[in-house]
Amino acid sequence: MYRAVTNGIQVTVEPFYLADQSSPEEGSYVWGYTVEIVNLGDVPVQLRRRHWLITDGNGQMQEVEGPGVVGEEPVIKPGEAFEYSSGCPLTTPSGIMEGAYLMELPDGRMMNVSIPPFSLDTPNRRGFLN
């Protein structure tokens, strides 16, 4: 499990390898990950955008950004959490993901919230740090 706290917003990520969706012999590896965002602060925040940096085992980087997550722009009230799951395909048996969420405060100001870097490793590569 990987965790980061930025300005009272805690982001926890748990990645997992999806062997049933992967085809290593064809150079296709797929991971899922579950993200929990907890508002430890005093005011509600709304998740407006996501920005991911995905680096494969060969050092090739891809950027992914867009509105919300999984089709939602949730409002997370103080003391509440929002959880979602998504996935990431790679052509290498390992990689790393990291990024940030753009959150809107009640007064309209925006703040970046870090998504902790997390390692994507096939089970036989467990313990390999990208």
Side-chain angles (χ1 to χ4, degrees):
M1 205 171 327
Y2 303 81
R3 180 171 289 138
V5 178
T6 309
N7 296 323
I9 307 299
Q10 176 180 280
V11 178
T12 304
V13 183
E14 185 156 358
F16 46 93
Y17 181 62
L18 297 170
D20 60 328
Q21 295 180 31
S22 300
S23 295
E25 61 283 350
E26 296 175 18
S28 175
Y29 304 85
V30 181
W31 287 267
Y33 55 89
T34 299
V35 177
E36 181 187 53
I37 304 166
V38 180
N39 186 345
L40 304 173
D42 299 329
V43 298
V45 296
Q46 184 167 14
L47 193 161
R48 291 297 192 178
R49 298 190 65 79
R50 71 190 182 285
H51 180 239
W52 288 103
L53 295 174
I54 305 165
T55 307
D56 71 15
N58 295 326
Q60 297 287 358
M61 188 182 298
Q62 173 186 346
E63 284 189 73
V64 176
E65 59 181 314
V69 291
V70 295
E72 296 185 51
E73 293 184 20
V75 173
I76 309 167
K77 296 178 182 173
E80 293 187 352
F82 176 78
E83 184 175 290
Y84 73 96
S85 294
S86 192
C88 177
L90 292 178
T91 58
T92 60
S94 66
I96 193 163
M97 290 180 66
E98 61 185 302
Y101 297 119
L102 184 64
M103 301 282 192
E104 185 174 1
L105 298 166
D107 63 7
R109 287 182 299 136
M110 302 296 231
M111 73 173 175
N112 281 310
V113 172
S114 295
I115 302 168
F118 57 96
S119 190
L120 304 173
D121 296 302
T122 54
N124 60 344
R125 293 177 65 100
R126 206 67 164 157
F128 178 79
L129 183 60
N130 285 294

